[in-house]
Amino acid sequence: MPRPRRDSEILPAKERLENAFWELLSEREYRKITVTDIVRTADVNRNSFYYHFAGLPELADSAILHAVENTPLPSAPNANFNPDNEWRKHVTALLREPEQRQRLDRLALLAGPHSSPELVESLQDFGRLTLISVLGLDADHLDLKTDLMLDFTVGGMLAVLRRWPKLHEQLPMDTVFNEDLAVLATGMFMSMSKTDMLGYWKRIFSSGFVPGQASHDDQAPQSAAQ
């Protein structure tokens, strides 16, 4: 099967198949989607589909994995950064970039009424693996605290995605950038990482960080989510 030229305006078949999966999932329940639906929507033949995927579940896993992997997460934190500023930078980039907004919308489909237990499980598994990779953890040697916090964090992300279709239309930006939320998110992230938490919390509560005192350059515009 010939590969598309890099300068072609036509997307590679594999990417078109994944896009077709998301498009159809937005229209109907996963259990009602067929390979025939996928190839028609992607405008490829069945041989092309089976060249890339053994079946619909494998296509779904590939699409979910790419969506999760390409959604930016904060870098593994250290004891010297300002959680308020870093949280603003991360969330602003996430909400302002059209590609990232599309990924959030797609991931939200996995928590919506058209999803299935299998899709939710894939999202949870890939979410855990991504966090483990970003934090530099050893998946085979997680202590109980970190293991539970990973499940807690992924479960929280799933809960937000479930509410995302309505949430993103009415969520006040001052709520998103609230310093309490910034410290909470950063603290959870650091608790799962290999970072020494003692120095971080001493700085937070003693001298280094004053909630709400982000620099002018780090202030996100109120239209970030528009």
Side-chain angles (χ1 to χ4, degrees):
M1 184 178 64
R3 295 183 178 181
R5 293 170 50 190
R6 290 185 178 275
D7 60 348
S8 173
E9 294 183 358
I10 300 177
L11 293 174
K14 188 173 184 180
E15 189 172 346
R16 288 155 63 191
L17 289 165
E18 292 186 5
N19 288 341
F21 164 77
W22 293 115
E23 180 179 341
L24 290 166
L25 188 62
S26 71
E27 299 173 354
R28 67 192 72 168
E29 295 179 23
Y30 174 66
R31 64 185 179 87
K32 295 182 179 180
I33 298 175
T34 66
V35 171
T36 299
D37 295 329
I38 293 289
V39 297
R40 284 177 179 171
T41 303
D43 194 21
V44 301
N45 57 47
R46 295 179 73 88
N47 288 337
S48 180
F49 177 92
Y50 287 110
Y51 177 84
H52 293 288
F53 305 107
L56 187 58
E58 189 172 314
L59 166 61
D61 277 349
S62 179
I64 295 169
L65 176 60
H66 288 150
V68 172
E69 284 183 333
N70 292 321
T71 300
L73 288 171
S75 301
N78 56 60
N80 297 317
F81 71 84
N82 185 306
D84 192 20
N85 290 349
E86 294 299 322
W87 178 254
R88 287 171 176 271
K89 290 178 182 178
H90 172 67
V91 174
T92 299
L94 186 64
L95 296 181
R96 292 184 67 181
E97 296 179 8
E99 289 185 4
Q100 299 305 333
R101 291 294 297 272
Q102 181 187 58
R103 289 191 182 97
L104 285 175
D105 291 341
R106 286 178 168 182
L107 291 174
L109 293 174
L110 304 174
H114 292 172
S115 188
S116 71
E118 294 81 10
L119 297 183
V120 172
E121 183 177 1
S122 291
L123 174 60
Q124 291 173 321
D125 288 344
F126 292 140
R128 271 182 61 98
L129 289 173
T130 300
L131 283 172
I132 287 171
S133 176
V134 169
L135 293 168
L137 303 175
D138 183 347
D140 296 324
H141 299 88
L142 295 174
D143 59 78
L144 180 59
K145 181 207 74 171
T146 303
D147 193 28
L148 290 174
M149 289 196 69
L150 284 167
D151 281 345
F152 181 79
T153 301
V154 172
M157 292 178 178
L158 186 61
V160 172
L161 288 173
R162 189 174 292 116
R163 300 179 61 182
W164 179 249
K166 292 183 178 180
L167 194 63
H168 81 280
E169 297 177 354
Q170 56 183 313
L171 187 64
M173 295 311 296
D174 58 348
T175 298
V176 178
F177 296 128
N178 181 273
E179 58 270 10
D180 292 335
L181 185 59
V183 172
L184 175 62
T186 304
M188 288 181 59
F189 211 54
M190 292 183 70
S191 293
M192 292 185 289
S193 74
K194 299 176 181 179
T195 306
D196 178 11
M197 291 291 294
L198 182 59
Y200 169 77
W201 289 120
K202 282 183 176 179
R203 187 174 65 84
I204 290 295
F205 292 113
S206 299
S207 59
F209 171 66
V210 179
Q213 296 300 311
S215 68
H216 177 74
D217 291 339
D218 294 321
Q219 295 294 330
Q222 292 297 310
S223 58
Q226 297 177 359

